[in-house]
Every structure is written in C-alpha cells, then in structure tokens.
Amino acid sequence: MASHRRPKQQSRARVTVLTTAAAAAVVLSANAANAAPSQKLSKDQVKAKVDELYQQAEQATEKFDGAQAKQQKLQKEISTIQDNVARGQQDLNKLRDGLGSLATSQYRSGGIDPSVQLFLSSNPDDFLDKASTLDQLSAQQVDALKKIQDKQRELSQERAEATQKLKDLSDTRTQLAQNKKDVQGKLADAQKLLNSLTAKEKQQLAAEQQRADRSSSQRVDLGNTPPASGRAAAAFSAAQSQIGKPYVYGATGTASYDCSGLTSWAYAQAGVSIPRTSQEQATIGTRISSVNDLQVGDLVFFYGDIHHVGLYAGNGQVLHAPHTGAVVRYESMSDMPFQFGVRV
C-alpha cells in the first residue's frame, strides 16, 4: 500500500509545479503581448528619429568631405615633391658627372690630386669639414663641391617631407574610411526605422516628402533683398539651376549634392574658389551676425558645430541641399538654428 501512495504524492507535486509553470508562462505571454504594442513607434515618431539620424549623418558627411579634400591635397603635394626629387636627383647626377670630368682632366694633365679624389667620395660633407685641404682646391672645384653638397641637403629634406606626407595620407585614408562608415551606419539605422513602418505609413511619409520638395522647389517670395555682389548673384543663380537635384553625401554635382558640395559648386560657377566643407567655408569672407544684414548669395550656417550651409535667398529663406531623402530647395531659415552668415 505504501508503495502505491508515494507515486500519487509525487504526481500531485509534479502537477502543482507544472500548473505553476504554465500559469507563469501565460502571465509572461500576456505581458509580452501587452508590451509589444508600446514598443511600436508611430509614423511621426519614426520620422522624428529618422530626421535626427539624417542630421547625424550630415555631421559625419562634413567630416568625410574634409578628409576627402585633405586626401586629394596630400596626393597632389606628394606628387609634386616626388617630381622635384626626381629632377633634383638628375641635377645631382649631372653635378657629379661634371666633377668626374674635372678629375679626368687633371689625370690627363699629370695625375689626380689627392684632394680631387676626395671630391668623388660618397660624402662630400666630410671633405668640406677638412678645412686644411681647401687650400689645395681650385675655385672651380670648391664651387662644384658646394653645389653637390647643397643639392644633397635639398634632396634629403624633400625626401623627409615626402615620407611625412605619405604617413599623413595613410592616416587620412583611415579617417576617411571611418567617416564613410559612420555616414553609412546612420543611413542604415534610418532605413531600418523606415522599414518598420507599414506599407501605408511608408506611402504617407513619401507623399509628405514629395509635397515638401515640390512646394519648396517652386519660386518663393524672396522679397527685394539685393545680392551681396555680382559674383554672389551669379553663384545664387547657379544654385537655383540645381533645384530639384537630390542630396547625396559627398556629392559635388551636377547630378547630386550635399550641403557644402552645392555651395562650393555654385561659387565655382561664379569664378570663385571656396573651401570644400561647411566648417572651412565659415572661416572665409566677412562674418554677418544678424539675419537682417544678409544679402542674396551670402553663405548661411546652421547648428552649433556648423555642419550645415546654404545660400541666403532673401526674405528669411535659404536655398540648400537639406539632407538624405530631400532635394535642393528653398526653406525657411527658422526651421533650423541659424548661427551666422559669411559674405564671400
């Protein structure tokens, strides 16, 4: 009898445990079900987060543009130095050949003077340091040797400069790759958020963006603000011709632009070369603190870190390349935190 009671007690205990576990699972499932809807972002919340990510992407874009411009500059400088080194080496070879000819001439006329043998050594500096031998040299020999010494010193400096710039170039390429990765990461995060929307919500957002681009791309009331100069007017006119072109990070036209890509391209059409990035563009020309003092074609800068730039269009409007997903268009400056303007 006892052997039959024990299994029953174990069975009841097991049923109690299983029942408790099942009840807990039901509660957890219910809580999970209740929590899931609260984690789902609304269309407006997604749009706000996407806009924030686009701003962060633009910050990274300006760093990318700066690294890219530095890379191009370094490549040109390195190429120039390498050309100079190659020409300098040819000059040095000619100087040495000339000194060799002088030694040959001395040999034919009665043997090579010991001092001339020193001319032909691999290190003329050692010879010049031996002042006791200088009185054995002709003026022509001294002049030839000093030219070789100067040329060797010049080549050594240029080679050292090229080595340093090659290191800078390597560091810049690493920075460029990181900046590019940062931009792509922000854009990928934004796309994930957009992908979380329903098909209907995506259509609604797309329609809103199209309406914003369409209305902002049309001619707006720019008031009677005069252009800052003839070149500023030409730059602004060039930018107007690009209205409707899409924003693409790192782009400088004419199929697409980022913010500083548009402004640098526009001024280039007016015959004025300005720096590539918004931060660098902020350092040129005359700074203008008040919106009331701006004139058409002035550069206008936004956000505390100056990562966005456009062209003043008059009547409180800016003509700019806004962000990923938008096109070159007019926009009210009140939509962004204005910092200052620059008259080129």
Side-chain angles (χ1 to χ4, degrees):
M1 294 294 291
S3 63
H4 291 291
R5 288 194 190 102
R6 285 195 190 105
K8 281 187 177 180
Q9 290 172 352
Q10 290 174 354
S11 178
R12 279 197 299 271
R14 185 180 179 191
V15 168
T16 301
V17 171
L18 290 174
T19 302
T20 302
V26 170
V27 171
L28 289 173
S29 298
N31 288 340
N34 290 333
S38 64
Q39 294 174 355
K40 176 76 166 68
L41 299 177
S42 69
K43 174 175 68 69
D44 291 339
Q45 287 174 321
V46 167
K47 185 179 184 306
K49 285 185 174 291
V50 166
D51 288 344
E52 182 181 353
L53 285 167
Y54 282 161
Q55 286 298 327
Q56 293 172 4
E58 191 176 34
Q59 289 175 301
T61 292
E62 286 302 295
K63 292 178 182 178
F64 171 83
D65 291 343
Q68 194 172 50
K70 184 178 179 180
Q71 175 183 252
Q72 293 170 350
K73 180 182 178 183
L74 283 170
Q75 286 173 327
K76 289 180 181 178
E77 290 175 348
I78 290 169
S79 178
T80 298
I81 293 173
Q82 289 174 335
D83 288 345
N84 290 341
V85 168
R87 285 194 294 270
Q89 187 62 53
Q90 290 177 346
D91 293 341
L92 180 60
N93 292 341
K94 288 179 181 178
L95 288 171
R96 283 174 170 164
D97 288 346
L99 198 57
S101 298
L102 183 61
T104 299
S105 176
Q106 284 195 345
Y107 175 76
R108 287 173 178 169
S109 62
I112 301 179
D113 188 284
S115 60
V116 176
Q117 294 178 22
L118 288 173
F119 295 167
L120 304 178
S121 66
S122 60
N123 193 348
D125 287 348
D126 290 344
F127 176 73
L128 283 181
D129 289 339
K130 296 181 175 65
S132 61
T133 64
L134 288 177
D135 57 357
Q136 302 176 34
L137 309 179
S138 70
Q140 183 182 5
Q141 292 167 338
V142 170
D143 182 61
L145 192 57
K146 285 185 176 180
K147 284 181 179 179
I148 289 176
Q149 182 187 37
D150 291 342
K151 181 57 67 174
Q152 284 181 321
R153 185 181 297 112
E154 179 185 330
L155 285 175
S156 177
Q157 291 172 346
E158 288 182 332
R159 287 188 176 112
E161 184 180 358
T163 299
Q164 182 57 51
K165 286 189 182 294
L166 284 168
K167 181 182 180 301
D168 292 344
L169 180 59
S170 177
D171 293 342
T172 300
R173 283 174 171 159
T174 300
Q175 180 187 353
L176 184 64
Q178 182 58 53
N179 294 149
K180 184 176 183 178
K181 183 179 178 181
D182 291 344
V183 176
Q184 292 174 333
K186 297 299 182 184
L187 296 180
D189 290 343
Q191 190 58 54
K192 286 180 184 177
L193 283 171
L194 292 173
N195 290 342
S196 71
L197 296 175
T198 65
K200 183 178 179 181
E201 288 172 330
K202 290 178 184 177
Q203 289 176 350
Q204 290 173 339
L205 269 185
E208 289 174 10
Q209 184 65 61
Q210 287 175 356
R211 282 195 296 272
D213 287 339
R214 189 162 52 247
S215 62
S216 309
S217 297
Q218 296 169 354
R219 178 74 182 185
V220 297
D221 180 11
L222 302 180
N224 297 317
T225 309
S229 67
R231 287 186 173 181
F236 182 71
S237 178
Q240 283 181 308
S241 72
Q242 301 304 295
I243 287 175
K245 298 289 182 70
Y247 178 103
V248 174
Y249 81 89
T252 57
T254 57
S256 56
Y257 299 89
D258 61 23
C259 68
S260 55
L262 175 67
T263 51
S264 58
W265 177 87
Y267 264 95
Q269 308 318 298
V272 181
S273 176
I274 65 175
R276 172 64 179 92
T277 68
S278 57
Q279 287 89 350
E280 290 177 312
Q281 291 176 12
T283 65
I284 64 174
T286 304
R287 182 169 293 198
I288 302 164
S289 301
S290 173
V291 174
N292 296 328
D293 295 330
L294 292 171
Q295 292 182 313
V296 173
D298 285 338
L299 297 174
V300 282
F301 299 88
F302 302 89
Y303 301 97
D305 61 354
I306 319 297
H307 73 259
H308 189 70
V309 62
L311 293 162
Y312 186 61
N315 200 27
Q317 301 283 320
V318 59
L319 177 56
H320 67 152
H323 54 72
T324 299
V327 299
V328 175
R329 67 191 191 191
Y330 297 106
E331 195 162 339
S332 173
M333 288 175 57
S334 62
D335 292 346
M336 299 174 288
F338 171 72
Q339 301 300 306
F340 56 85
V342 164
R343 185 157 299 152
V344 179

